[in-house]
Amino acid sequence: MLSSKAFDDYIIPLEQWIEGGVSWLVENFRPQFQAIKWPVEVTLNGIDSLLQMIPPILFLIVLGIIAWRAAGWKVALFGILTLTLVGFLGLWEDTMTTLAMVICAVVFCVIVGIPLGIYASRSNRFESMLRPVLDAMQTTPAFVYLVPVVMLFSIGTVAGVIATIIFAMPPIIRLTNLGIRQVQADVVEASEAFGATKSQILWKVQFPLALPTIMAGLNQTMMLSLSMVVIAALIGAGGLGVPVFEGLNSLRVGLAGIGGISIVLLAMVLDRITQALGTSKHLERNESS
Amino acid sequence: MPQEKVIVSGLFKIFGPNPDRAFKLIDAGKEKDAIFKETGLTVGVQDAEFSINAGEIFVVMGLSGSGKSTLVRMLNRLIEPTAGTVLIDGEDVTAMAPNHLRELRRHSMSMVFQSFALMPHLTVVQNAAFGLEISGINKAERQKRALDALDQVGLKDWARSYPRELSGGMQQRVGLARALAQDPSIMLMDEAFSALDPLIRSEMQDELLKLQDQHERTVVFISHDLHEAMRIGDRIAIMEGGRIVQVGTPDDILNNPADRYVSSFFRGVDPTTVFSVGDVARKSQLTLRWHKGEGFPTAALEQMRQEDRDYAYVLNRHQKFLGVVSSDTLDEAIERNERNLDGALLDNIEPVSAETPLQEILSEVRKYECPVPVINDEGQYMGVISKRTFLRTLEHGAQ
């Protein structure tokens, strides 16, 4: 009979193992982890001080131009209006910090994720090894790895960005892999028949044809980074997570509210712009024909 | 003695692991199906042995699954042969190092595909220049050569369009231009025209023959279509179950088929199922332009008398087929004092589509008093099929 005592005789001491493992990592490899932190820190500080330095008016103009070129005048107008509103909510500086964190996280996700996605598209074995890792990265509750992240990278905005990178990277890897695998076999064969090398096939055929899918991945990565903003604030990251977190702690609904609204508005602007980047002009024309 | 451009000997392709097991069974005289049952290996091509002369169109014909696409891909090693040699200008392709093979693909052999395989993200001229770009030729030069190739296939004006904006036939012209731009000495055409409708297909065949007139290339053309093979092939190789059963000129094969498989292409196959209506339609009949003008039936009758015809085919100004008139119905219309041809059109004459297999219009040919009118997708008049044409096709095929 399986009684409630059935598991009392033996408990796998995984809890102790994990604690031991992480402490061992912290004791022996802290300098290495601090070295990983360095490029993230430099990039983040660079973007953040640039965004804090430029006058809001100039920022709004540049944003408007980018949105107009990428997605048309409606999105440009929407972007300018929403961010002006955020400014009048008194959260301009926090918004710029959050934007810097998001851009920094996306940059590292692209630098690491696209090569991994390309490699996964060429090797079935690597793809099947990668898949459970990506599943774990996306589904492990962030609170679980916040503690080891803090132990290894200490607290602050940089640690928050590192946690964000881990959480937001899977879509760009998955969609790069998918996009390249979805390129029609016959155009790849034709390229081979005309004497293309593997890298010519990748850069002249597969990558451009996969680009709309890869951009969809970029869009998702960006949205996931934004969703980590509040959680990152828990470990001392700055930005729009801070008013939300403070509002939560001191039961100031209004403060949490304006922080939340600002995050949503920023997300909408970034989403519209990056979505438009995914549909380049000739592809639109194909769909309409 | 013509110069031999490509010499293929003892060429095998066996799909699956440990192909040696299949060779033992082949030596024991087993057939493809038996080998698959016993080992799970598929014999794609078995002991191919032939040579292709410089400047000829060499058609490899066979039903689907006979190994013809595999065979042609072994010539440029898109598919790696399991055994045997392919000599091109005396050089063994099967032994070439990868970079040497790439050079061969870039400069000497180009390929045209059944599915066109154009790059959807590139314009027509960029597609035509694709092979040149791969070979690292500078932009000005490749632009010039690509436009030149597009000019040869009559698509220069479409250079800046994207492939999706073109019809199937035009897309394949781009595929052809892409191959021509390389100025290759050998062109591999894998069912290049099979995806096109019959009228466009014969137009493309003419185009190929015209290009061949201007500049003799060695063309290896894969087809499952007897009519196409006979029309364009200088020599034809017939494949069955991975083996080449006969190589010869169209006449050789027609008159001395090597075995029953070959002869079945000509004898066993009913020619009316091989040809479509559009393949044999002729524009031999008198056509009249419909208009509302007064006294038109009289003018029409006069024209028919002069040309000594009993029937005339009435079209509008866009060549759309409207109906058939006979001298009798015109006489009656004139008696009734009618001013246009509407009342003189014969009842019960329905045009047939050019894509219909010949066999399906037997009842129309029998029933109609006049030759059966043929129209294309847009309803335009493409010609007629008379009883005589129909019978001649039957006879020709049965020979």
Side-chain angles (χ1 to χ4, degrees), chain B residues 27-306:
Chain B
D27 288 341
K30 292 260 169 96
E31 290 286 319
K32 184 178 170 172
D33 291 344
I35 294 171
F36 180 72
K37 229 175 231 167
E38 217 164 299
T39 63
L41 297 170
T42 306
V43 181
V45 171
Q46 183 177 338
D47 202 13
E49 192 98 38
F50 59 90
S51 60
I52 302 171
N53 300 325
E56 76 175 342
I57 299 184
F58 186 84
V59 179
V60 180
M61 200 183 94
L63 301 174
S64 60
S66 60
K68 50 196 194 312
S69 281
T70 308
L71 179 69
V72 75
R73 279 170 172 72
M74 287 199 284
L75 301 183
N76 64 355
R77 265 175 69 190
L78 282 179
I79 291 179
E80 206 63 50
T82 313
T85 56
V86 175
L87 297 182
I88 290 179
D89 293 326
E91 268 190 290
D92 187 359
V93 177
T94 57
M96 276 182 185
N99 56 348
H100 194 168
L101 177 65
R102 268 200 301 276
E103 288 306 303
L104 179 85
R105 288 174 179 173
R106 286 175 180 182
H107 302 299
S108 314
M109 306 176 96
S110 54
M111 194 159 177
V112 183
F113 297 84
Q114 178 174 14
S115 61
F116 318 144
L118 300 176
M119 309 297 158
H121 62 300
L122 301 179
T123 61
V124 164
V125 67
Q126 286 169 334
N127 264 291
F130 182 78
L132 303 172
E133 191 186 343
I134 292 297
S135 331
I137 286 165
N138 71 55
K139 198 171 178 191
E141 162 101 19
R142 66 181 193 242
Q143 182 84 1
K144 188 178 147 288
R145 281 170 64 178
L147 281 174
D148 204 45
L150 285 174
D151 199 25
Q152 286 182 58
V153 298
L155 275 187
K156 207 172 181 177
D157 295 339
W158 295 85
R160 296 172 70 99
S161 309
Y162 283 91
R164 288 280 183 84
E165 299 166 340
L166 308 184
S167 67
M170 288 160 88
Q171 288 190 35
Q172 192 57 303
R173 280 168 196 268
V174 179
L176 200 54
R178 176 172 65 179
L180 289 170
Q182 308 275 90
D183 197 20
S185 57
I186 301 175
M187 290 224 295
L188 308 176
M189 304 185 71
D190 180 25
E191 302 247 14
F193 305 149
S194 301
L196 308 172
D197 31 330
L199 287 165
I200 309 290
R201 192 187 309 169
S202 57
E203 206 178 295
M204 291 296 285
Q205 289 160 0
D206 292 340
E207 189 86 42
L208 178 67
L209 294 172
K210 196 183 88 196
L211 288 167
Q212 198 65 3
D213 269 350
Q214 291 160 358
H215 190 130
E216 275 203 351
R217 293 189 169 85
T218 307
V219 178
V220 184
F221 196 105
I222 305 297
S223 180
H224 64 262
D225 178 356
L226 167 72
H227 186 57
E228 184 167 72
M230 304 291 276
R231 193 153 175 233
I232 64 173
D234 293 314
R235 286 192 307 145
I236 299 175
I238 295 193
M239 284 191 83
E240 183 203 9
R243 268 181 310 198
I244 293 181
V245 287
Q246 189 172 11
V247 181
T249 64
D251 270 355
D252 281 346
I253 290 179
L254 193 63
N255 296 323
N256 307 303
D259 62 16
R260 284 186 43 213
Y261 177 77
V262 177
S263 60
S264 72
F265 271 110
F266 306 97
R267 212 165 273 149
V269 176
D270 177 357
T272 59
T273 62
V274 175
F275 296 115
S276 72
V277 171
D279 289 334
V280 289
R282 258 151 235 237
K283 288 197 173 171
S284 53
Q285 299 293 310
L286 177 65
T287 56
L288 298 172
R289 176 74 53 81
W290 185 94
H291 58 77
K292 292 184 202 148
E294 221 167 295
F296 189 60
T298 331
L301 192 59
E302 184 53 34
Q303 210 180 334
M304 287 168 68
R305 282 212 183 106
Q306 272 178 15

